[in-house]
């Protein structure tokens, strides 16, 4: 059972929600797919059991073989190749590692070389397995690292997939990295703030999960007394509200100190345990509906 936690921007509270749900489940898996700035490990403080460098394949040019036909340049849709002053240049930062240019080259002047873009760490915090992806500074895309994280989780399971609770802490927004994070999820949990800007961000991720035809529900974070534009949006769009997290100084203090609320506070343990039960029932209901 894979539950992806999304938000339209950073700081909305998706890590707060995903970390505490994973801790409330006790025996679970937490995957931090926000590889540009992962922070789930700061809360779990896991014992690192394994670390692996992640590489991608990029083309390397053998200048003595290149005849300047430019077939590879014309083929590349990402403008990662250019032929300038009788020399073929490779722009590594925009290469998508598709390998098409290598297959197309009639002179076999292009070969593959490995380029490191980041790493994946696997650790353990109590009974929670913690997977963290880290993208190297300056790299453009973390999608290969996210793919590795999700594939590693599949290969590491010793129990039937339906018995597993996996929480995917997605990158903020709705870009390619978010799409990669949610494509195999059984359910999407959208975290929203009680502001007009929060409504805009909620609408953005809601449109994304609709494109992927994923069932979803909303957690309203930082809730206060009075009008809540995000709540109004959910009611108008008929989106199920699963929980309301209060704007609370104690919760803010715990979160700012990278403490897991369910391990430090009985009231919040009860709140997130109730949310976990609600989400689990929603996933089971949706799974039954589509089976």
């Amino acid at each position: 059972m894979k539950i992806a936690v999304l938000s339209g921007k950073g700081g909305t509270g998706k890590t707060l929600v995903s970390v505490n749900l994973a801790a409330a489940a006790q025996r679970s898996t937490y995957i931090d797919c926000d590889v540009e700035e992962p922070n789930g490990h700061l809360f779990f403080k896991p014992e690192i059991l394994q670390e692996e460098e992640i590489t991608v394949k990029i083309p390397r040019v053998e200048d003595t073989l290149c005849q300047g036909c430019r077939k590879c340049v014309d083929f590349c849709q990402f403008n990662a190749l250019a032929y300038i002053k009788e020399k073929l240049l490779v722009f590594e930062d925009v290469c998508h590692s598709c390998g098409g240019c290598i297959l197309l080259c009639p002179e076999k002047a292009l070969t593959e070389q490995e380029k490191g873009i980041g790493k994946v760490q696997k650790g353990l915090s109590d009974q929670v397995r913690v997977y963290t992806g880290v993208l190297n500074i300056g790299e453009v895309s973390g999608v290969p690292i996210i793919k590795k994280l999700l594939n590693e989780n599949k290969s590491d399971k010793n129990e039937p997939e339906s018995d597993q609770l996996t929480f995917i802490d997605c990158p903020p927004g709705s870009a390619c990295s978010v799409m990669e994070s949610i494509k195999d999820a059984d359910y999407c949990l959208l975290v929203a703030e009680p502001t007009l800007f929060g409504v805009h961000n909620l609408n953005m991720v809601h449109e994304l999960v609709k494109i992927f035809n994923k069932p979803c529900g909303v957690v309203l974070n930082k809730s206060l007394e009075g009008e809540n534009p995000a709540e109004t949006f959910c009611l108008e769009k008929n989106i199920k509200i699963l929980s309301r997290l209060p704007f609370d100084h104690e919760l803010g203090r715990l979160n700012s100190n990278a403490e897991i609320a369910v391990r430090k506070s009985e009231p919040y343990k009860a709140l997130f345990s109730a949310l976990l039960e609600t989400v689990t029932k929603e996933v089971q209901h949706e799974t039954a509906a589509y089976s």
Side-chain angles (χ1 to χ4, degrees):
M1 188 183 295
K2 298 180 286 291
I3 300 163
V5 185
L6 303 83
S7 63
K9 71 171 187 63
T12 304
K14 62 181 177 55
T15 297
L16 166 70
V17 171
S18 53
V19 161
N20 280 280
L21 284 177
Q26 295 184 348
R27 193 175 185 204
S28 63
T29 299
Y30 167 83
I31 305 177
D32 197 343
C33 288
D34 188 3
V35 298
E36 291 187 32
E37 40 190 359
N39 61 345
H41 66 285
L42 300 176
F43 292 85
F44 282 113
K45 304 171 183 64
E47 175 191 359
I48 302 300
L49 304 177
Q50 188 177 344
E51 183 173 296
E52 180 182 354
E53 183 184 12
I54 305 302
T55 63
V56 294
K57 297 181 184 298
I58 59 171
R60 177 174 58 188
V61 184
E62 182 58 58
D63 293 326
T64 57
L65 296 178
C66 180
Q67 299 298 310
C69 69
R70 294 180 174 83
K71 287 184 179 180
C72 58
V73 176
D74 296 336
F75 169 81
C76 185
Q77 299 298 303
F78 306 104
N79 298 314
L81 297 165
Y83 193 79
I84 301 173
K85 294 185 177 180
E86 299 184 349
K87 186 173 183 179
L88 182 63
L89 303 179
V90 178
F91 302 108
E92 296 180 3
D93 289 342
V94 292
C95 176
H96 280 54
S97 305
C98 73
C101 58
I102 296 170
L103 294 173
L104 195 67
C105 180
E107 306 298 331
K108 307 300 180 187
L110 292 170
T111 56
E112 288 182 333
Q113 63 178 347
E114 299 284 345
K115 175 191 176 186
I117 62 166
K119 61 185 177 181
V120 164
Q121 294 177 330
K122 292 190 279 187
L124 196 63
S125 174
D126 288 346
Q127 296 186 72
V128 180
R129 292 186 299 175
V130 181
Y131 290 50
T132 304
V134 183
L135 183 68
N136 289 343
I137 295 173
E139 293 298 333
V140 176
S141 175
V143 169
I145 297 178
I146 294 171
K147 285 183 178 179
K148 181 66 174 179
L149 282 169
L150 299 176
N151 287 334
E152 283 292 306
N153 179 50
K154 289 179 184 178
S155 63
D156 281 354
K157 288 179 178 177
N158 295 317
E159 300 175 21
E161 188 166 340
S162 59
D163 296 336
Q164 294 285 325
L165 270 175
T166 297
F167 298 92
I168 303 168
D169 189 351
C170 298
S174 57
C176 297
S177 56
V178 183
M179 298 181 198
E180 188 66 37
S181 301
I182 71 170
K183 70 178 187 180
D184 292 327
D186 299 304
Y187 193 83
C188 290
L189 198 56
L190 316 181
V191 183
E193 293 179 325
T195 64
L196 291 175
F197 290 112
V199 171
H200 170 78
N201 295 321
L202 174 58
N203 183 52
M204 182 168 61
V205 291
H206 181 243
E207 289 296 320
L208 176 65
V209 299
K210 283 202 304 182
I211 291 172
F212 279 79
N213 197 30
K214 297 290 183 182
C216 68
V218 170
V219 173
L220 299 175
N221 193 23
K222 307 173 188 176
S223 296
L224 294 164
E225 295 288 337
E227 183 181 0
N228 187 330
E231 181 174 3
T232 303
F233 174 83
C234 292
L235 295 174
E236 290 175 350
K237 297 291 185 179
N238 197 28
I239 308 170
K240 190 170 290 187
I241 299 172
L242 302 182
S243 183
R244 294 169 175 83
L245 302 181
F247 185 78
D248 179 66
H249 289 291
E250 175 64 13
L251 181 58
R253 182 187 65 79
L254 289 170
N255 201 50
S256 296
N257 291 331
E259 298 284 358
I260 299 175
V262 301
R263 294 179 178 175
K264 296 291 183 178
S265 166
E266 284 299 322
Y268 279 107
K269 181 179 180 180
L271 189 152
F272 281 104
S273 295
L275 174 58
L276 176 64
E277 184 178 354
T278 301
V279 172
T280 303
K281 288 180 179 177
E282 283 293 309
V283 178
Q284 292 171 343
H285 171 73
E286 293 292 341
T287 304
Y290 282 95
S291 62

